Amino acid sequence: MTGTEQWLGSAPAHWARGRLKDLIASSSNGTWGSDPVENDQNVRCIRAADFDRVSRRAELSNAPLRYVEPSSLRQHLLRPGDLVLEKSGGGEKQPVGMAVLFTGTDAAVSSNFCARIKPSVNVDSRFLNYVFAAAYGQGLTQAAIKQTTGIQNLDTGALLASRWAFPEKEEQCRIADFLDAETARIHQLMRARDAQVTALTERDYSSISEVLVPGSLANGSGTGTFPWLPELPESRPLVKLGYVCRIQNGLTVDGKRDVTGDVVTRPYLRVANVQAGHLTLDSVTEITVPRTVAERSTLRVGDVLMTEGGDLDKLGRGAVWNGELPECLHQNHVFALRPATTVLDGRYLALMTQTVHGRCYFESTGTRTTNLASTNSSKILGFPIPLPSLDVQRVLVSQVHQELQKTATIRALLNQQLALLTERRQALITAAVTGQFDVSTASGRNVTEGVSA
């Protein structure tokens, strides 16, 4: 018995039995339109990126402007109370099967990767939105998804054919009112926890900067090549990275490369795998290259990885390679810095890239384009680092790690609370829209029990 059938069995006897499509007047594909024109005829186009996943509302502030022909606009124009359903995509950025409620007043359409869902006249649009939230949260949309190469496509007809039970509109409104109030309380707590997590990140940034470059958080000297730097003691001379480090370039991914003869297949790191201070190795791919190419791009334990391009604030982010994958290679957009171990600790260098000084240097020397930025090996080797003795570097690294461990423990607790709040919100929505309790007598006092403000 599926989860939907169980819900039908537990729903109150006076609720109507039917299909999800019985709650819907129409479902139609969206449109991407064409490039905006120089008049007032452009409209907002809602994508999955414009889904507020907490409130389950469409957010128009960053939705792109597009031009839609008047005849097409009459067909696709969203009305307050319509739902926007993500139909095609995949991954965290394109949550196939998720729906949000459109409440805006500005002219808008849904993108061609989405569908516009219009509720029936006897259906409260907020209730329908919560129904879709329950279906998505419980994984019911997965059964209606067809996977192609790298893309998931939702079979809307199959999803809408799911069995469901639903009350009269008056009771739908009571359920929606109850969920609006209770989920708002949960959202308030979630926003508070998010703010605390952000504050911890800022604290880490400040701690690293002050330990490695004391005085960084105050005003810099305002003079010299690097005006953001404070005055440094003689025991911490400023040394260009190229004097104490050599750089190894990575391999170029080339589909036309000859992979016959003496070749090897190895894992290799991309920019996405290198984060500030750590590596994400859950999505490492493999590549087949000639053995001679692999030998030139093989990582060694102690290498410090830095990224060539991406968002401006991520340039030069550093992480130490500890040999997590044997004989691992790295892409040409990831540089491997190999410190002279007699004078430079790789952990010290990786942390230095996360200081105010490191961020100011890479952001000021990065080459910017419209949406991205890049650096190069010359600029990386020109990075000036305060260089105390090796023993002092190790003491400073230990001090920073102790501080980071404290905030990591707190961050883990906050993330646990966020996960708990998310689970309780989902359980509350599911129980309410499937009639597992009577909202007219229910109290939300226990909804956030154990998670104080």
Side-chain angles (χ1 to χ4, degrees), residues 247 249 271 305-312 314-317 332-335 337 358-359 361-369 372-383:
I247 197 166
N249 292 314
V271 171
L305 306 178
M306 290 190 184
T307 55
E308 175 192 34
D311 296 335
L312 183 61
K314 295 180 177 61
L315 286 187
R317 60 193 180 194
N332 59 317
H333 298 301
V334 176
F335 297 109
L337 280 295
R359 300 325 315 147
Y361 174 80
F362 285 107
E363 290 183 19
S364 65
T365 59
T367 302
R368 309 185 191 198
T369 60
L372 299 174
S374 64
T375 188
N376 56 47
S377 58
S378 297
K379 291 174 182 177
I380 290 177
L381 292 176
F383 178 36

Side-chain angles (χ1 to χ4, degrees), residues 53-56 183-201 407-427 447-453:
R53 303 189 191 188
V54 175
S55 67
R56 297 297 175 113
T183 57
R185 295 175 60 206
I186 296 175
H187 296 165
Q188 184 178 9
L189 285 172
M190 294 177 72
R191 285 191 293 269
R193 294 296 172 266
D194 281 331
Q196 289 170 324
V197 170
T198 299
L200 285 176
T201 301
T407 55
T409 300
I410 300 172
R411 183 181 293 106
L413 292 173
L414 291 173
N415 286 332
Q416 286 176 6
Q417 291 190 357
L418 278 167
L420 177 61
L421 287 167
T422 300
E423 291 173 4
R424 293 195 178 186
R425 178 185 61 184
Q426 183 62 48
V447 170
T448 55
E449 182 181 351
V451 187
S452 58

Side-chain angles (χ1 to χ4, degrees), residues 120 142 154 195 267 284 414:
S120 297
Q142 292 298 315
L154 180 70
V284 176
L414 291 173

Side-chain angles (χ1 to χ4, degrees), residues 348-369:
Y348 176 82
L349 172 58
L351 288 173
M352 187 60 69
T353 67
Q354 301 173 52
T355 62
V356 170
H357 170 50
R359 300 325 315 147
C360 286
Y361 174 80
F362 285 107
E363 290 183 19
S364 65
T365 59
T367 302
R368 309 185 191 198
T369 60

